Amino acid sequence: MLLHSGSLRKGNKTMNTNFEHYRIFYYVAKYGNLTKAATVLHTSQPSVTRTIHNLEKNLNCRLFERSKVGMKLTPEGEVFYEYIAAGCAQFFKAESNLSDMLSLENGTIYVSATETALHCYLFQAMESFNEQYPNVHFKILNNSTRKSINIVKEGNVDFAVVSAPFQIEKPLQQKVLRKYHDILIGGKRFEKLKGQKFLSSNLPNILGSV
Amino acid sequence: MLLHSGSLRKGNKTMNTNFEHYRIFYYVAKYGNLTKAATVLHTSQPSVTRTIHNLEKNLNCRLFERSKVGMKLTPEGEVFYEYIAAGCAQFFKAESNLSDMLSLENGTIYVSATETALHCYLFQAMESFNEQYPNVHFKILNNSTRKSINIVKEGNVDFAVVSAPFQIEKPLQQKVLRKYHDILIGGKRFEKLKGQKFLSSNLPNILGSV
DNA sequence: ATGAATTACGATTAGCGTAAAGATC
DNA sequence: GATCTTTACGCTAATCGTAATTCAT
């Protein structure tokens, strides 16, 4: 039979851990490059290299192999990185999650919308949204489809709800909310057109000929 | 249709995040008590309370409700804590894992063992272990089962491998490695005992009567 | 009066940035 | 010479600990 008292004697040395160092380590390992990591971290290379050295000293373990081309993880560093990366991911999620919660607790959302979109969709959508998030306010700008797209592109609104067909460029994204069709309503003079089919582009000619 | 340029305007403010603060937060949230957290963190209450205040300021969000009885998480803090706790767990795993790896790369394991355990199990186990971890050395102490248990309790060896029945106390753990039974070998004088069954406790009497 | 958080203050130290130095292609 | 990492050095800012304060049981 085997019996033991808990942890092996070597493991007793308590680690002088600073989680902030793990964040630095994460980026260095991720990019394999001090310079790049420093840029992303908005700090200087010397600062990063010192932190890594301190970390290695505290952990009592070489984490990187240095070379001309950059920083390569040692086998131990590799394993360590797996866990650190997972931890960082959780922290990032914590941050973005909190950020989302806060932005929904108060603040203003800027929207550009066509009149059609406003009446057919947006009013109703805002109403139900505000039931859940009563402290979020909307700033509505009534614009044409074309104008709406432009001010989204300029960053002056958070998004736009439009009703006419359009084409968007690279960074923008679109989502179809619903399809609709126009209904032509006319007086007796147009009665004979009832039931006929024609292209909407031809509409002016047809109406003119009546 | 809805189109947007990426992120909402409120989210642009970059968080001034310091992972070390999350570690502090974790313990405060876990214990709901600054004093306790400070003790565990080997620091002072003022230090902890300041860190939490800084964190809340940086996140722009109240994480705790303070009261006479301690620190209670706000709803936002609650959600935040879930993620932070998960992240911390990963970091802790990273640390303990690395620590294990390092202790297996070099070092000495102290073992107490009975002679039986040594020959029947330990020699062979050490041999195959050292194939994988050639730089780990063993220090073997040959002791009785009783003595072995005592020096495990005293922390003078990492574990013991024993062969006689025993009882262990609170902090110690045991694991059965294999079962075995003794075989009695006697001369012609004991031939008539062959095939008979009797309790080993009664052995002295039986042997004496032959 | 005990046990909690907070504030104040002085001291320490850990971290930062600039600049320079190695190292390697 | 270009592109890395590392060292040196002076400084700033973040953190710390002690002690005092506040508040509620």
Side-chain angles (χ1 to χ4, degrees), chain B residues 5 18 30 33 44 57 71 80 88 90 97 121 134 152-153 202 210:
Chain B
S5 59
N18 181 338
K30 181 176 176 183
N33 179 319
S44 61
K57 204 171 79 181
M71 309 278 281
F80 193 63
C88 287
Q90 290 296 328
N97 214 294
Y121 181 83
V152 169
K153 213 180 295 176
N202 206 25
V210 173

mmCIF file of all heavy atoms in Angstrom, chain B residues 5 18 30 33 44 57 71 80 88 90 97 121 134 152-153 202 210:
data_model
loop_
_atom_site.group_PDB
_atom_site.id
_atom_site.type_symbol
_atom_site.label_atom_id
_atom_site.label_comp_id
_atom_site.label_asym_id
_atom_site.label_seq_id
_atom_site.Cartn_x
_atom_site.Cartn_y
_atom_site.Cartn_z
ATOM 1 N N SER B 5 -21.652 49.167 -38.280
ATOM 2 C CA SER B 5 -20.232 49.292 -38.614
ATOM 3 C C SER B 5 -19.337 48.479 -37.695
ATOM 4 O O SER B 5 -18.137 48.540 -37.782
ATOM 5 C CB SER B 5 -19.817 50.750 -38.541
ATOM 6 O OG SER B 5 -20.058 51.244 -37.244
ATOM 7 N N ASN B 18 -5.878 45.357 -15.351
ATOM 8 C CA ASN B 18 -4.705 44.800 -14.684
ATOM 9 C C ASN B 18 -5.118 43.466 -14.075
ATOM 10 O O ASN B 18 -5.865 43.406 -13.101
ATOM 11 C CB ASN B 18 -4.217 45.766 -13.598
ATOM 12 C CG ASN B 18 -2.990 45.244 -12.895
ATOM 13 O OD1 ASN B 18 -2.730 44.043 -12.895
ATOM 14 N ND2 ASN B 18 -2.229 46.135 -12.294
ATOM 15 N N LYS B 30 -14.797 35.633 -3.234
ATOM 16 C CA LYS B 30 -14.898 34.272 -2.744
ATOM 17 C C LYS B 30 -15.242 34.232 -1.260
ATOM 18 O O LYS B 30 -16.077 33.442 -0.826
ATOM 19 C CB LYS B 30 -13.576 33.558 -2.996
ATOM 20 C CG LYS B 30 -13.526 32.114 -2.558
ATOM 21 C CD LYS B 30 -12.198 31.495 -2.964
ATOM 22 C CE LYS B 30 -12.077 30.067 -2.453
ATOM 23 N NZ LYS B 30 -10.753 29.484 -2.790
ATOM 24 N N ASN B 33 -15.324 39.053 2.246
ATOM 25 C CA ASN B 33 -14.793 39.642 3.475
ATOM 26 C C ASN B 33 -13.386 40.151 3.193
ATOM 27 O O ASN B 33 -12.489 39.371 2.872
ATOM 28 C CB ASN B 33 -14.780 38.542 4.545
ATOM 29 C CG ASN B 33 -14.228 39.037 5.859
ATOM 30 O OD1 ASN B 33 -13.253 39.772 5.901
ATOM 31 N ND2 ASN B 33 -14.863 38.626 6.938
ATOM 32 N N SER B 44 -2.505 43.560 3.638
ATOM 33 C CA SER B 44 -3.331 44.256 4.635
ATOM 34 C C SER B 44 -4.702 44.618 4.072
ATOM 35 O O SER B 44 -4.868 44.727 2.860
ATOM 36 C CB SER B 44 -2.618 45.531 5.079
ATOM 37 O OG SER B 44 -2.436 46.381 3.972
ATOM 38 N N LYS B 57 -13.330 51.494 -10.204
ATOM 39 C CA LYS B 57 -13.183 52.739 -10.953
ATOM 40 C C LYS B 57 -12.783 52.444 -12.396
ATOM 41 O O LYS B 57 -13.354 52.990 -13.330
ATOM 42 C CB LYS B 57 -12.140 53.642 -10.275
ATOM 43 C CG LYS B 57 -12.313 55.108 -10.588
ATOM 44 C CD LYS B 57 -11.409 55.969 -9.715
ATOM 45 C CE LYS B 57 -9.976 55.974 -10.225
ATOM 46 N NZ LYS B 57 -9.078 56.791 -9.372
ATOM 47 N N MET B 71 -18.563 42.058 2.310
ATOM 48 C CA MET B 71 -18.690 42.515 0.921
ATOM 49 C C MET B 71 -19.580 41.545 0.164
ATOM 50 O O MET B 71 -19.255 40.361 0.038
ATOM 51 C CB MET B 71 -17.309 42.536 0.252
ATOM 52 C CG MET B 71 -16.247 43.266 1.036
ATOM 53 S SD MET B 71 -16.304 45.032 0.806
ATOM 54 C CE MET B 71 -15.504 45.188 -0.781
ATOM 55 N N PHE B 80 -19.670 38.915 -13.312
ATOM 56 C CA PHE B 80 -18.239 39.121 -13.520
ATOM 57 C C PHE B 80 -17.439 38.049 -12.793
ATOM 58 O O PHE B 80 -16.497 37.473 -13.329
ATOM 59 C CB PHE B 80 -17.859 40.512 -13.008
ATOM 60 C CG PHE B 80 -16.495 40.966 -13.428
ATOM 61 C CD1 PHE B 80 -16.183 41.153 -14.762
ATOM 62 C CD2 PHE B 80 -15.517 41.222 -12.477
ATOM 63 C CE1 PHE B 80 -14.927 41.586 -15.150
ATOM 64 C CE2 PHE B 80 -14.262 41.656 -12.858
ATOM 65 C CZ PHE B 80 -13.961 41.839 -14.193
ATOM 66 N N CYS B 88 -9.229 32.426 -13.059
ATOM 67 C CA CYS B 88 -8.278 32.161 -11.977
ATOM 68 C C CYS B 88 -7.996 30.669 -11.877
ATOM 69 O O CYS B 88 -6.847 30.247 -11.694
ATOM 70 C CB CYS B 88 -8.819 32.687 -10.655
ATOM 71 S SG CYS B 88 -8.773 34.480 -10.519
ATOM 72 N N GLN B 90 -7.970 28.512 -14.159
ATOM 73 C CA GLN B 90 -7.025 28.152 -15.217
ATOM 74 C C GLN B 90 -5.603 28.553 -14.829
ATOM 75 O O GLN B 90 -4.657 27.801 -15.029
ATOM 76 C CB GLN B 90 -7.407 28.832 -16.527
ATOM 77 C CG GLN B 90 -8.675 28.300 -17.161
ATOM 78 C CD GLN B 90 -8.552 26.851 -17.589
ATOM 79 O OE1 GLN B 90 -7.489 26.390 -17.975
ATOM 80 N NE2 GLN B 90 -9.641 26.115 -17.497
ATOM 81 N N ASN B 97 0.449 22.882 -12.473
ATOM 82 C CA ASN B 97 0.938 22.001 -13.514
ATOM 83 C C ASN B 97 2.420 22.215 -13.771
ATOM 84 O O ASN B 97 3.201 21.265 -13.844
ATOM 85 C CB ASN B 97 0.164 22.292 -14.798
ATOM 86 C CG ASN B 97 -0.046 21.058 -15.621
ATOM 87 O OD1 ASN B 97 0.917 20.512 -16.123
ATOM 88 N ND2 ASN B 97 -1.283 20.614 -15.737
ATOM 89 N N TYR B 121 7.400 -4.539 -5.072
ATOM 90 C CA TYR B 121 6.769 -3.476 -5.849
ATOM 91 C C TYR B 121 7.703 -2.319 -6.188
ATOM 92 O O TYR B 121 7.829 -1.922 -7.338
ATOM 93 C CB TYR B 121 5.558 -2.939 -5.081
ATOM 94 C CG TYR B 121 4.822 -1.852 -5.803
ATOM 95 C CD1 TYR B 121 3.863 -2.171 -6.782
ATOM 96 C CD2 TYR B 121 5.076 -0.506 -5.542
ATOM 97 C CE1 TYR B 121 3.199 -1.182 -7.462
ATOM 98 C CE2 TYR B 121 4.407 0.486 -6.224
ATOM 99 C CZ TYR B 121 3.472 0.153 -7.180
ATOM 100 O OH TYR B 121 2.813 1.119 -7.859
ATOM 101 N N PRO B 134 14.431 10.594 -15.808
ATOM 102 C CA PRO B 134 15.742 10.095 -15.397
ATOM 103 C C PRO B 134 16.446 10.971 -14.358
ATOM 104 O O PRO B 134 17.371 10.503 -13.698
ATOM 105 C CB PRO B 134 16.527 10.064 -16.711
ATOM 106 C CG PRO B 134 15.850 11.042 -17.592
ATOM 107 C CD PRO B 134 14.413 11.027 -17.204
ATOM 108 N N VAL B 152 5.856 9.448 7.624
ATOM 109 C CA VAL B 152 5.013 10.161 6.662
ATOM 110 C C VAL B 152 4.287 11.276 7.391
ATOM 111 O O VAL B 152 4.221 12.421 6.938
ATOM 112 C CB VAL B 152 3.983 9.219 6.008
ATOM 113 C CG1 VAL B 152 2.951 10.031 5.225
ATOM 114 C CG2 VAL B 152 4.670 8.227 5.093
ATOM 115 N N LYS B 153 3.759 10.912 8.581
ATOM 116 C CA LYS B 153 3.008 11.882 9.379
ATOM 117 C C LYS B 153 3.894 13.065 9.756
ATOM 118 O O LYS B 153 3.463 14.215 9.760
ATOM 119 C CB LYS B 153 2.474 11.184 10.644
ATOM 120 C CG LYS B 153 1.139 11.717 11.114
ATOM 121 C CD LYS B 153 0.666 10.996 12.359
ATOM 122 C CE LYS B 153 0.369 9.517 12.100
ATOM 123 N NZ LYS B 153 0.006 8.789 13.334
ATOM 124 N N ASN B 202 -4.064 -17.908 15.215
ATOM 125 C CA ASN B 202 -3.946 -19.148 16.004
ATOM 126 C C ASN B 202 -2.679 -19.935 15.662
ATOM 127 O O ASN B 202 -2.426 -21.002 16.212
ATOM 128 C CB ASN B 202 -5.186 -20.020 15.748
ATOM 129 C CG ASN B 202 -5.475 -20.952 16.922
ATOM 130 O OD1 ASN B 202 -5.078 -20.625 18.050
ATOM 131 N ND2 ASN B 202 -6.108 -22.066 16.652
ATOM 132 N N VAL B 210 2.556 -29.203 17.341
ATOM 133 C CA VAL B 210 3.009 -30.256 16.435
ATOM 134 C C VAL B 210 4.247 -30.953 16.994
ATOM 135 O O VAL B 210 5.146 -30.308 17.479
ATOM 136 C CB VAL B 210 3.300 -29.682 15.038
ATOM 137 C CG1 VAL B 210 3.925 -30.751 14.151
ATOM 138 C CG2 VAL B 210 2.011 -29.159 14.413
#
